[in-house]
Amino acid sequence: MSRSRQPPLVTGISPNEGIPWTKVTIRGENLGTGPTDLIGLTICGHNCLLTAEWMSASKIVCRVGQAKNDKGDIIVTTKSGGKGTSTVSFKLLKPEKIGILDQSAVWVDEMNYYDMRTDRNKGIPPLSLRPANPLGIEIEKSKFSQKDLEMLFHGMSADFTSENFSAAWYLIENHSNTSFEQLKMAVTNLKRQANKKSEGSLAYVKGGLSTFFEAQDALSAIHQKLEADGTEKVEGSMTQKLENVLNRASNTADTLFQEVLGRKDKADSTRNALNVLQRFKFLFNLPLNIERNIQKGDYDVVINDYEKAKSLFGKTEVQVFKKYYAEVETRIEALRELLLDKLLETPSTLHDQKRYIRYLSDLHAPGDPAWQCIGAQHKWILQLMHNCKEGYVKDLKGSPGLHSPMLDLDNDTRPSVLGHLGQTASLKRGSSFQSGRDDTWRYKTPHRVAFVEKLTKLVLSQLPNFWKLWISYVNGSLFSETAEKSGQIERSKNVRQRQNDFKKMIQEVMHSLVKLTRGALLPLTIRDGEAKQYGGWEVKCELSGQWLAHAVQTVRLTHESLTALEIPNDLLQTIQDLILDLRVRCVMVTLQHTAEEIKRLAEKEDWVVDNEGLTSLPCQFEQCIVRSLQSLKGVLECKPGEASVFQQPKTQEEVCQLSINIMQVFIYCLEQLSTKPDADIDTTHLSVDVSSPDLFGSIHEDFSLTSEQRLLIVLSNCCYLERHTFLNIAEHFEKHNFQGIEKITEVSMASLKELDQRLFENYIELKADPIVGSLEPGIYAGYFDWKDCLPPTGVRNYLKEALVNIIAVHAEVFTISKELVPRVLSKVIEAVSEELSRLMQCVSSFSKNGALQARLEICALRDTVAVYLTPESKSSFKQALEALPQLSSGADKKLLEELLNKFKSSMHLQLTCFQAASSTMMKT
């Protein structure tokens, strides 16, 4: 991304060296388009933006701040040009501190000092400034700890401005390694400072000589400028007037100081009286200072002052001191109550809780504030959980509908362990067997699932701090070192007593979390007496398996987060039990919904047949189950510490029964499709394989399915299910560790074979009965009599008609499924041969011509369909021939052979289908 302006460039700084807070002028190029464009300014690594004053694009004025580096660059940053560079540098000098009574030729700005008592930087007037090094020699800090020095000089201070100043402490702390010669030099420096006033103003004049010269030059320049401008008047020049004004000011100042000097003696006498008050002003001002510091929130200062006052005046017998000390105690008691209220106030951060507990510990508050805080936090967490449930229940009743828009959980900015883990272990909803879902599912989260998500987030946002507060209570880090030493024995006793109480608190939180989750997702698993407290959802529709799987993932992440806090496993066992029950319920519901979806597959049957005589229904059935099992993959997976879903025999039996039910529902769909009325079948998309040269007949665009064709299609699907689909499904069940797979397969196969046999018999009945029924009328048509008939001249029409009908059956079956042809024709021919045998056996006697005619027709039929003969049909043909008289002469046999050849020759085209079937069966 290109910027509209060049980066800032600093080419000069004046002055180029100085002490902290020196006012400098920075010059350069592209230093910004205005004050708002300037967004950064650092000198020697210190941010000087607060004191910066933008003058122009080439000039900025600011003050140098305190910096760690002695020398560094000047970096300007602007919105328009970005971060700039510098060709010059600034050198930071160590400041020479000027005492409050030292003469100076320049104005000394007020400076910050470091208060060791309060650990705070405060601006104070110059009169309170203290010399940094009163001895005038190099300071060498000792390695003695502050605690040891405080114990050695109890009640004293190393601060030379303090009324309890200890010279020995100061020397040990700052000059423990200083030689005796240097200490003698320090004495000389102290004497010199004491006699400094006697030196007069000569040193002052020498020190500020350059300043005087600069002032003189400035005045001369002003004078010359005025004269050049012609500003002199009759009354006198402007410089003359200025001189008069200065003289009058000098006289007035002398008058004022004479009055001050006159009062000096009176002030000295008063000062002696005030010294007593000044010496104990700490106590007299302490009540007011306590109130002010409490209002500002400086509790550390209050506690330090109170400890100091307690050590100095806690056992005093002076009535004035007692009175003021009683006022201090009154305000400290009010502070204890204030801090306790703040401690028990919810919500509050762990940092604030620890801070208030430490304050109360330092103030020696009665009771056990830390335990009171733990108890308050416990009650508040439970209240939050129940309020969350009540809010969602109320929202559900106010806006009915399973998929009402819920609160936007993504707007919750509180840090949550679950949010972090949720990113690394997200639920793959796309694997659900429900198809056609779009991205709007995020805004259709059921109330109960959204409640569980919100509930777990709430627990994970509060419980870690609650647990850490307890750990700090146990190891004593909540208390200050002084309080810990004084109350260590008593506190250790309290901890042992409180452990069981805290364990019950955690158990109660876990119990509420599990019960509230069960009330929302598994309402049947909670007792009637707890239904009102933990349930009350009043929903009629059960959650889908997809949302239950999502809930399982949510609770799992919650368990992982709580385990990461090192909470004992026995306290989390109820959550493990909840996860197992949710997983079992998810499997049950998913299988039930799968059965319902498979039940609707019949509506999706388009009767489009492929080259193998199959529709898409078996494939849809298998895909439906595969998607269902895939959606359960994460649920069935056992995370560390989890038990298998199928560990209970009752669960195994229920899952097995549901799996069998899925298979039987699909078998029932097939049966319904096979018996559906013609008017209910949509055959506009019917498709068959027309590429085969052996296809009998032609397929037209207006082809419509008959009930016989539907039977064939369903039979073809049944064969495929038995050989492939059911076996594949069994493999998928085994892959997902389902139990009782053999029973599922056995029962399903038995039901499928039963349906197949029943449909096959129905089809054979529909096709064979008309052919069989036409044989007897055809044989005796025209008053034909086996005893009195003409010599045979060929096969009669009734047999040809029967063969044509058989060929029509062949064509119909071949059009749908080639594999069904042998099975169907074999049964049809069995029925025809059996009927023909019965008719032959019913004839009382045959003439010679009648026997020859009957033999001709029986042999013609037998030889034509020889490829489809079964042992039963062969036996029937044999019985029929045995019922006929044997041929006695060779002429009859020759005639029979000639007539058979003539029949086969004349019907060669019609009989081709049987020959093709024969060659195909021989190849296979």
Side-chain angles (χ1 to χ4, degrees):
M1 177 176 177
S2 62
R3 300 185 179 273
S4 58
R5 295 179 62 87
Q6 294 294 325
L9 175 63
V10 176
T11 58
I13 183 170
S14 177
N16 60 2
E17 62 180 15
I19 63 175
W21 309 113
T22 300
K23 190 173 184 179
V24 297
T25 301
I26 301 171
R27 299 188 182 276
E29 301 173 358
N30 302 319
L31 301 184
T33 59
T36 57
D37 191 42
L38 183 64
I39 61 174
L41 174 60
T42 59
I43 299 178
C44 297
H46 179 76
N47 188 0
C48 302
L49 184 61
L50 289 178
T51 62
E53 181 181 357
W54 186 89
M55 309 299 291
S56 67
S58 59
K59 180 179 178 181
I60 296 174
V61 177
C62 72
R63 287 186 179 273
V64 181
Q66 295 283 355
K68 296 181 179 179
N69 302 325
D70 295 333
K71 190 173 184 180
D73 294 333
I74 302 94
I75 304 299
V76 178
T77 305
T78 63
K79 292 181 182 178
S80 58
K83 188 174 181 180
T85 56
S86 173
T87 60
V88 296
S89 61
F90 183 87
K91 183 177 181 182
L92 192 67
L93 303 177
K94 293 184 178 180
E96 295 181 2
K97 294 186 178 180
I98 300 175
I100 56 177
L101 300 178
D102 292 344
Q103 294 178 336
S104 174
V106 296
W107 180 259
V108 179
D109 288 339
E110 295 182 359
M111 301 174 63
N112 289 338
Y113 79 101
Y114 185 74
D115 194 335
M116 293 184 294
R117 183 187 65 176
T118 61
D119 290 345
R120 282 175 171 80
N121 288 324
K122 290 188 174 182
I124 63 171
L127 290 177
S128 300
L129 292 175
R130 58 195 70 175
N133 187 5
L135 299 183
I137 59 177
E138 184 178 357
I139 295 177
E140 297 179 2
K141 290 290 183 178
S142 67
K143 298 181 181 180
F144 293 98
S145 65
Q146 195 71 15
K147 297 179 183 178
D148 296 337
L149 292 174
E150 288 176 357
M151 294 177 62
L152 184 61
F153 300 97
H154 183 68
M156 308 301 288
S157 172
D159 185 0
F160 45 80
T161 63
S162 174
E163 57 187 10
N164 299 323
F165 172 68
S166 171
W169 187 348
Y170 178 82
L171 290 175
I172 292 174
E173 185 176 18
N174 297 287
H175 299 286
S176 60
N177 298 325
T178 305
S179 64
F180 182 70
E181 295 298 328
Q182 288 179 319
L183 290 177
K184 288 187 354 182
M185 290 175 58
V187 173
T188 305
N189 291 337
L190 287 175
K191 292 180 179 179
R192 186 183 300 114
Q193 291 179 16
N195 300 327
K196 194 172 184 180
K197 292 182 180 180
S198 61
E199 296 179 3
S201 59
L202 181 60
Y204 164 71
V205 173
K206 290 181 179 179
L209 192 60
S210 61
T211 304
F212 291 136
F213 288 156
E214 290 175 2
Q216 177 63 30
D217 292 341
L219 291 173
S220 299
I222 292 173
H223 179 70
Q224 293 175 4
K225 182 67 175 175
L226 292 174
E227 288 182 344
D229 292 343
T231 57
E232 294 189 10
K233 305 296 181 182
V234 179
E235 294 82 1
S237 65
M238 182 177 291
T239 56
Q240 185 63 41
K241 292 182 179 180
L242 181 61
E243 182 180 357
N244 295 334
V245 171
L246 291 176
N247 289 332
R248 288 198 301 273
S250 177
N251 294 332
T252 303
D254 291 340
T255 303
L256 291 175
F257 277 105
Q258 285 176 359
E259 184 179 356
V260 171
L261 294 174
R263 293 197 302 265
K264 182 177 181 300
D265 294 336
K266 183 179 180 180
D268 289 339
S269 61
T270 306
R271 188 177 297 109
N272 293 329
L274 294 176
N275 278 339
V276 177
L277 294 177
Q278 182 69 20
R279 182 178 179 184
F280 299 104
K281 68 178 180 179
F282 167 73
L283 178 62
F284 299 144
N285 295 333
L286 187 56
L288 182 59
N289 290 337
I290 288 177
E291 289 185 357
R292 290 175 178 174
N293 289 325
I294 288 176
Q295 292 176 359
K296 292 188 294 184
D298 291 339
Y299 302 124
D300 288 317
V301 178
V302 175
I303 294 171
N304 290 335
D305 289 345
Y306 173 65
E307 289 292 339
K308 181 177 179 181
K310 187 176 181 180
S311 62
L312 294 176
F313 307 102
K315 298 179 180 180
T316 183
E317 297 297 332
V318 181
Q319 293 300 322
V320 176
F321 293 164
K322 279 186 176 182
K323 180 179 178 180
Y324 275 89
Y325 184 74
E327 287 292 328
V328 171
E329 285 289 355
T330 301
R331 283 157 177 76
I332 290 298
E333 183 61 32
L335 176 61
R336 292 192 187 105
E337 295 177 359
L338 174 65
L339 292 175
L340 184 60
D341 292 340
K342 287 181 175 291
L343 176 62
L344 302 182
E345 184 180 294
T346 52
S348 62
T349 63
L350 180 63
H351 173 73
D352 289 340
Q353 291 170 350
K354 288 184 175 181
R355 192 159 57 94
Y356 294 139
I357 291 172
R358 190 170 290 112
Y359 289 153
L360 289 168
S361 173
D362 290 340
L363 291 174
H364 308 288
D368 193 348
W371 181 252
Q372 289 179 272
C373 178
I374 292 174
Q377 283 294 111
H378 169 248
K379 293 179 181 178
W380 184 63
I381 292 174
L382 292 178
Q383 187 63 40
L384 280 180
M385 295 167 69
H386 286 282
N387 289 346
C388 180
K389 191 266 291 187
E390 295 299 333
Y392 273 84
V393 170
K394 183 177 179 181
D395 184 45
L396 177 62
K397 293 179 179 178
S399 53
L402 179 62
H403 296 296
S404 301
M406 280 303 300
L407 299 173
D408 187 4
L409 297 176
D410 295 334
N411 289 338
D412 190 358
T413 58
R414 289 180 291 105
S416 172
V417 184
L418 179 62
H420 174 71
L421 292 174
Q423 295 175 358
T424 59
S426 59
L427 182 64
K428 298 181 179 178
R429 297 181 181 84
S431 62
S432 171
F433 60 82
Q434 295 183 358
S435 59
R437 297 182 61 239
D438 54 22
D439 293 336
T440 59
W441 67 270
R442 294 181 181 272
Y443 306 100
K444 297 180 181 179
T445 306
H447 280 71
R448 290 178 289 167
V449 177
F451 159 69
V452 172
E453 290 181 346
K454 190 74 173 181
L455 181 67
T456 53
K457 281 187 177 181
L458 187 151
V459 172
L460 290 178
S461 65
Q462 299 299 328
L463 199 61
N465 288 341
F466 183 59
W467 181 259
K468 291 175 183 177
L469 185 64
W470 164 252
I471 296 300
S472 301
Y473 179 78
V474 172
N475 59 30
S477 61
L478 283 178
F479 311 96
S480 64
E481 295 181 2
T482 305
E484 184 179 4
K485 291 177 181 178
S486 61
Q488 187 171 8
I489 299 176
E490 183 179 358
R491 186 175 56 78
S492 61
K493 293 180 181 178
N494 289 339
V495 168
R496 288 193 294 269
Q497 295 173 359
R498 307 294 193 191
Q499 279 182 346
N500 291 333
D501 295 337
F502 183 77
K503 185 176 181 180
K504 291 178 181 178
M505 289 182 181
I506 293 292
Q507 286 176 340
E508 189 173 355
V509 173
M510 296 296 106
H511 173 81
S512 296
L513 172 63
V514 171
K515 288 291 184 181
L516 288 171
T517 304
R518 287 184 181 275
L521 304 179
L522 303 171
L524 298 179
T525 62
I526 60 176
R527 296 190 294 269
D528 294 338
E530 299 174 334
K532 183 177 180 180
Q533 183 180 2
Y534 299 105
W537 291 92
E538 298 179 2
V539 289
K540 298 179 181 179
C541 300
E542 189 174 15
L543 290 174
S544 65
Q546 170 201 4
W547 287 116
L548 284 174
H550 176 67
V552 169
Q553 184 71 359
T554 301
V555 179
R556 274 177 169 172
L557 292 174
T558 304
H559 183 268
E560 291 178 11
S561 302
L562 295 177
T563 305
L565 293 176
E566 298 182 356
I567 296 178
N569 291 330
D570 59 330
L571 298 179
L572 302 179
Q573 185 57 43
T574 54
I575 299 182
Q576 284 282 25
D577 298 340
L578 171 63
I579 293 174
L580 179 60
D581 291 347
L582 280 175
R583 291 166 64 204
V584 171
R585 187 60 189 161
C586 179
V587 172
M588 301 296 183
V589 171
T590 300
L591 294 179
Q592 291 172 1
H593 288 185
T594 304
E596 294 174 3
E597 185 177 2
I598 288 173
K599 189 182 297 183
R600 295 190 293 270
L601 284 180
E603 303 171 3
K604 301 179 182 179
E605 177 60 280
D606 54 7
W607 301 101
V608 177
V609 183
D610 61 8
N611 294 336
E612 297 180 2
L614 304 174
T615 64
S616 61
L617 203 60
C619 183
Q620 291 180 19
F621 169 62
E622 182 177 353
Q623 290 175 355
C624 183
I625 292 182
V626 169
R627 287 196 299 269
S628 174
L629 295 177
Q630 186 65 27
S631 70
L632 292 173
K633 183 178 179 181
V635 176
L636 294 173
E637 228 174 35
C638 291
K639 299 294 182 180
E642 292 183 356
S644 172
V645 173
F646 306 107
Q647 69 171 357
Q648 296 294 335
K650 181 181 178 182
T651 305
Q652 295 179 15
E653 183 63 28
E654 291 180 358
V655 171
C656 180
Q657 192 58 43
L658 287 172
S659 303
I660 293 174
N661 182 54
I662 290 174
M663 302 294 203
Q664 292 178 338
V665 164
F666 185 66
I667 293 172
Y668 177 75
C669 289
L670 293 176
E671 185 175 5
Q672 292 297 106
L673 288 171
S674 66
T675 59
K676 208 170 186 180
D678 293 347
D680 296 340
I681 303 301
D682 180 13
T683 58
T684 55
H685 301 292
L686 179 67
S687 173
V688 294
D689 182 13
V690 296
S691 62
S692 174
D694 297 330
L695 180 63
F696 177 76
S698 61
I699 306 301
H700 302 282
E701 294 181 358
D702 58 348
F703 187 86
S704 60
L705 285 176
T706 63
S707 59
E708 292 90 348
Q709 289 173 325
R710 292 202 305 275
L711 278 173
L712 285 175
I713 293 174
V714 174
L715 279 171
S716 178
N717 285 339
C718 286
C719 294
Y720 185 80
L721 289 169
E722 182 180 352
R723 292 196 306 268
H724 301 285
T725 305
F726 278 15
L727 298 178
N728 293 342
I729 291 174
E731 291 180 1
H732 288 299
F733 280 143
E734 185 175 2
K735 181 180 177 181
H736 288 82
N737 300 321
F738 273 57
Q739 304 296 315
I741 300 176
E742 294 180 359
K743 180 180 178 180
I744 297 172
T745 307
E746 181 181 350
V747 175
S748 304
M749 285 291 191
S751 300
L752 182 64
K753 290 178 180 178
E754 180 184 352
L755 174 65
D756 177 82
Q757 187 61 31
R758 189 165 62 252
L759 297 180
F760 181 73
E761 291 175 357
N762 291 342
Y763 183 78
I764 295 300
E765 184 178 349
L766 289 173
K767 292 300 180 181
D769 285 359
I771 299 174
V772 171
S774 66
L775 289 178
E776 187 172 0
I779 290 175
Y780 297 103
Y783 301 102
F784 180 82
D785 188 0
W786 295 108
K787 298 178 183 179
D788 183 15
C789 61
L790 298 173
T793 58
V795 176
R796 289 184 292 169
N797 290 334
Y798 83 91
L799 188 61
K800 294 179 180 179
E801 182 182 350
L803 282 173
V804 169
N805 289 334
I806 294 174
I807 292 171
V809 174
H810 179 281
E812 183 179 63
V813 177
F814 188 84
T815 302
I816 302 300
S817 174
K818 300 176 184 178
E819 296 182 0
L820 286 177
V821 171
R823 182 183 178 190
V824 173
L825 288 188
S826 297
K827 281 295 181 182
V828 173
I829 291 170
E830 281 183 10
V832 172
S833 62
E834 184 180 353
E835 177 65 13
L836 195 59
S837 175
R838 184 188 67 81
L839 292 174
M840 293 298 104
Q841 291 175 2
C842 290
V843 177
S844 59
S845 62
F846 292 89
S847 65
K848 178 182 177 182
N849 291 335
L852 187 58
Q853 183 70 42
R855 188 176 292 276
L856 172 63
E857 292 170 350
I858 293 172
C859 291
L861 178 61
R862 184 193 62 186
D863 294 346
T864 301
V865 297
V867 69
Y868 296 114
L869 292 179
T870 63
E872 290 78 7
S873 56
K874 288 179 181 179
S875 176
S876 298
F877 279 118
K878 183 178 180 182
Q879 292 175 3
L881 291 175
E882 289 176 350
L884 302 178
Q886 297 295 325
L887 296 178
S888 57
S889 64
D892 293 339
K893 294 181 180 178
K894 184 177 181 182
L895 177 60
L896 177 63
E897 185 177 352
E898 290 176 355
L899 291 175
L900 282 173
N901 291 334
K902 178 182 177 182
F903 164 75
K904 293 178 182 179
S905 177
S906 63
M907 292 194 66
H908 174 73
L909 180 61
Q910 290 83 352
L911 303 180
T912 304
C913 64
F914 298 116
Q915 297 173 1
S918 175
S919 61
T920 303
M921 293 181 69
M922 289 179 63
K923 290 178 182 179
T924 57

